[in-house]
Amino acid sequence: PPPVVRYLPGEEDVRAVIKLGPRARWVAEYYPVDIVEETPDGGTIVQFSAGDPAVAARLLLRLGPDADLVSGAEVGAALDDLRGRILSHYAG
């Protein structure tokens, strides 16, 4: 059976606008997002909600060059923190 996301966005959640490239369009089909706009390159701009900004940050990190954070300061800060922690493991 297909995986089911049981998360329902709430009013207190963190929101971020994310531009998904064509290879990341599956996010709009898998997660409960609001589609803001379809892009000419075959991508999608979505509003993503999460109870914790780290959830969106981990998703963005996994998507790599196939997604960009358009807005969402809390998610941006969480993404910077996550990148910094990962890079610190490689610092010599």
Side-chain angles (χ1 to χ4, degrees):
V4 176
V5 175
R6 299 187 195 284
Y7 165 77
L8 294 174
E11 289 184 29
E12 299 295 319
D13 291 348
V14 172
R15 287 177 175 57
V17 176
I18 300 172
K19 181 179 185 282
L20 303 170
R23 293 177 3 145
R25 282 185 57 93
W26 64 267
V27 170
E29 297 166 5
Y30 184 80
Y31 290 99
V33 300
D34 292 321
I35 295 177
V36 175
E37 175 183 344
E38 301 290 335
T39 63
D41 66 355
T44 306
I45 297 175
V46 299
Q47 181 171 306
F48 186 92
S49 299
D52 181 345
V55 171
R58 286 191 301 268
L59 176 65
L60 282 161
L61 196 63
R62 274 194 349 243
L63 294 172
D66 294 318
D68 292 305
L69 180 64
V70 175
S71 67
E74 290 180 81
V75 173
L79 183 58
D80 290 343
D81 178 64
L82 182 57
R83 285 178 177 152
R85 287 187 289 135
I86 291 169
L87 288 174
S88 73
H89 289 288
Y90 295 98

